[in-house]
Amino acid sequence: MKLLPHILLMCLALALAWAQGKHQGQHGGPDHHGRPDQHGRPDQHGRPGQHGRPDQHGHQHHAAVLDRCKGLEMDAVAENEEGIPYFFKGDHLFKGFHGKAELSNESFAELDDHHHLGHVDAAFRMHYEDDPTHHNHMFFFLDNKVFRYFQHKLEAGFPKDISEVFPGIPDHLDAAVECPKSECGEDSVIFFKGDEIFHYNVKTKAVEKKEFASMPNCTSAFRFTEHYYCFHGHQFSKFDPKTGEVHGRYPKEARDYFMRCSKFRDDGDHLERERCSRVHLDAITSDDAGNIYAFRGHHFIRKYDNDTLTSDTIESAFKELHSEVDAVFSYQDHLYMIKDNHLFVYKVGEPHTHLDGYPKPVKEELGIEGPINAAFVCQDHHIVHIIKGTDIYDVDLSVTPRVPTNKRPISVLRKVDAAMCGPDGVKVIRGSHYYHFESVMQFAVARALPEQHRVSLELFGCDH
């Protein structure tokens, strides 16, 4: 019987040890894969934990709201097949230049199914027009694996080892960017790892190591409107893809040019940012005196007929609107400004005068439901041409009630950001470019796009 107390004490010690181990496994210790626990403590590789609720695939993702205007260092940037930029940060994704973060696996589920997603190292959209089986496909790099997608679907056989798909390219990349043969001589991909630069020939699979001495190490890289950008932290530099040379005043703040963060600081050059930003315009028009108004986010540019440029906040000049204008057109010395389902009207002047009784519903004033993509009136006419989705309508402003007529589809563009009419014809803006048409009719019936023009260069004189 003398052994009984010792046996009881030993059982109690074992039970306490077992309970403590179970508690650590649930509330503080890494699992057998070294992954973070649900409270976000680092795993064995030092990666930050992810706390919050499991997603649809049963994986844990951190619930903290990511705000790109706080100065995030993006892990990867790439355009999708429709030209929409995707910005990756951790296990989240920002689509386009504004909008909130969403989980990456909501768009690319297999990144989680095949790999414990905590980040995307690098990404790019392939340019290889000689081989349609590769052209316009998206590639994602995670540690030593590469995923290939087409129209958001993972292709058979992927993920694969990076060395199998891109022989000679190292694992754990920092950045990657495509470079078509029209700009690099051959269809190529530029890979970045630390201060090492690899030019990969898509056709021959040859790898050429280069030195980009004047460029900082890239945390992500991006090709946009035929220009190349190296992001380092929340700044960026524009570089020559063949030599790595950086020309102009760089680095610049990414939030000034690639994101709608107009109010994140007060010490920036607002005019420089607004006229040179890579973010597309929301609306544009010209008044009866020939002055151009271009709206983006919280700000607008005014270009006088003598080419003088000024920039101001929308709220200071059009306080009833605050920001984010959808469409604007000029008619009889008034600016008609559309935001969501409402129409605001201002008398042009210094200052602009908001008319009593407005805003009014767009449906009531123009006979069409908002929101509207773009609207414009050509000189000496009383017809406003309204672009909504992929259709264009005509509304006679000289009669009441106003009714949209002559609906016809737009064949050449699936989306229009802004449009304006002038003595030389119609300018239709999509992204950072515009297309010139001699008339509304030519635009409506066109089956092919004319030559591209850069909004920042040819409308506002910005060459960087």
Side-chain angles (χ1 to χ4, degrees), residues 21-39:
K22 182 177 180 182
H23 178 80
Q24 288 180 343
Q26 294 177 342
H27 302 284
D31 66 10
H32 66 282
H33 296 292
R35 294 171 182 163
D37 64 35
Q38 61 179 342
H39 290 279

Side-chain angles (χ1 to χ4, degrees), residues 79 124-130 135-136 177-190 199-202 222-228 241-242:
E79 281 188 330
F124 72 89
R125 180 170 59 127
M126 175 70 80
H127 277 260
Y128 193 10
E129 294 185 358
D130 294 340
H135 183 61
N136 260 351
V177 65
E178 70 277 11
C179 190
K181 60 184 175 182
S182 59
E183 295 158 25
C184 273
E186 298 288 345
D187 287 315
S188 308
V189 183
I190 307 172
H199 267 237
Y200 181 88
N201 187 310
V202 175
F222 185 37
R223 176 182 178 269
F224 186 62
T225 63
E226 294 81 50
H227 293 286
Y228 293 79
K242 292 183 284 189

